[in-house]
Amino acid sequence: MAVKTLWSIDHACGHTSEADLADRSADRRAGYARWLSARDCTDCWRASRGEDAESKAEWLAKKRAAEQAEADEWSEQYRMPLLEGTDRAIAWGTRCRHQLVSAAHTALVLEGTTSEAEWEAIEDAVRPLNRASWWIDQRDADPTDLPELLDAATENDRPNENPHF
C-alpha cells in the first residue's frame, strides 16, 4: 500500500487545510505534516506578516522623520549649508552628516583631546562639503576619522562656481 500524499492539517491557528505532499519523499511526509500542524495556515501567516510589515514600516517612517527633524534642526543651528543631490539623497545625506559630525564631536572633543578651537576648524571644513552622496558614503566611517576624511575630500565634493558638465 502506498503512503498517502494528501494530508489533512489542523494548524495551530485552528484552521484546517489539505496539503498535497506528493513532492516529498514518502518517509518525510508524516514529519512535514506534523511540522505544518504546529504552524499557522497560509492565510493567517500572511495576515500576521502583513501586519508586522506595516507596523515595521510605520515605525521606520516615524524614526526617520524624527531623525530628519533632529538633523534639520542641527543643520540650522550650526549653519550647515543645504546639500546637493536628489531629494531622497539630500534627506539621507543630511542625516548622515549630522550623525557623523555629532559623533565626531563627542569622540574628539568631549572624550578626546581635541580643543574647541581645533574643532571649529574641523567644523569649518565640514561646511563646504555639500554633496549628499559624499556624506552617505561616509555613513559607516569611524567618527575619529572625520578630520582625515575631510582632508581626503576632493574638489568634486565641494561647491564650485564653474561646475564641469
Side-chain angles (χ1 to χ4, degrees):
M1 186 164 118
V3 176
K4 67 180 181 178
T5 58
L6 291 176
W7 292 72
S8 179
I9 309 293
D10 294 323
H11 292 280
C13 62
H15 295 117
T16 300
S17 69
E18 291 293 318
D20 182 358
L21 305 181
D23 61 336
R24 302 205 176 267
S25 62
D27 63 337
R28 295 182 182 259
R29 291 178 192 156
Y32 188 67
R34 186 174 42 255
W35 182 83
L36 284 174
S37 69
R39 308 290 181 276
D40 288 345
C41 70
T42 302
D43 291 338
C44 290
W45 179 80
R46 283 188 181 140
S48 71
R49 298 238 338 149
E51 241 177 66
D52 290 344
E54 269 184 40
S55 62
K56 183 178 179 182
E58 185 179 314
W59 171 82
L60 186 58
K62 286 180 182 178
K63 182 178 184 235
R64 288 264 163 79
E67 288 174 350
Q68 192 64 50
E70 185 179 343
D72 290 343
E73 183 180 314
W74 175 88
S75 295
E76 188 175 320
Q77 179 182 356
Y78 291 99
R79 302 178 331 275
M80 294 294 163
L82 293 176
L83 298 179
E84 294 177 359
T86 64
D87 289 343
R88 185 174 174 190
I90 290 170
W92 189 12
T94 301
R95 290 191 309 270
C96 292
R97 176 178 64 183
H98 168 249
Q99 291 165 356
L100 180 59
V101 175
S102 295
H105 182 267
T106 299
L108 297 172
V109 178
L110 301 179
E111 297 170 355
T113 59
T114 304
S115 69
E116 282 296 330
E118 292 170 321
W119 176 253
E120 285 180 25
I122 292 170
E123 201 173 78
D124 288 342
V126 165
R127 284 190 183 86
L129 291 169
N130 69 341
R131 270 194 39 238
S133 60
W134 190 89
W135 291 102
I136 294 168
D137 289 345
Q138 310 314 318
R139 70 184 177 273
D140 295 324
D142 186 298
T144 59
D145 292 339
L146 182 61
E148 187 177 346
L149 294 170
L150 294 170
D151 289 341
T154 67
E155 289 304 313
N156 293 333
D157 302 315
R158 294 176 173 88
N160 187 343
E161 290 180 24
N162 301 313
H164 300 279
F165 292 99

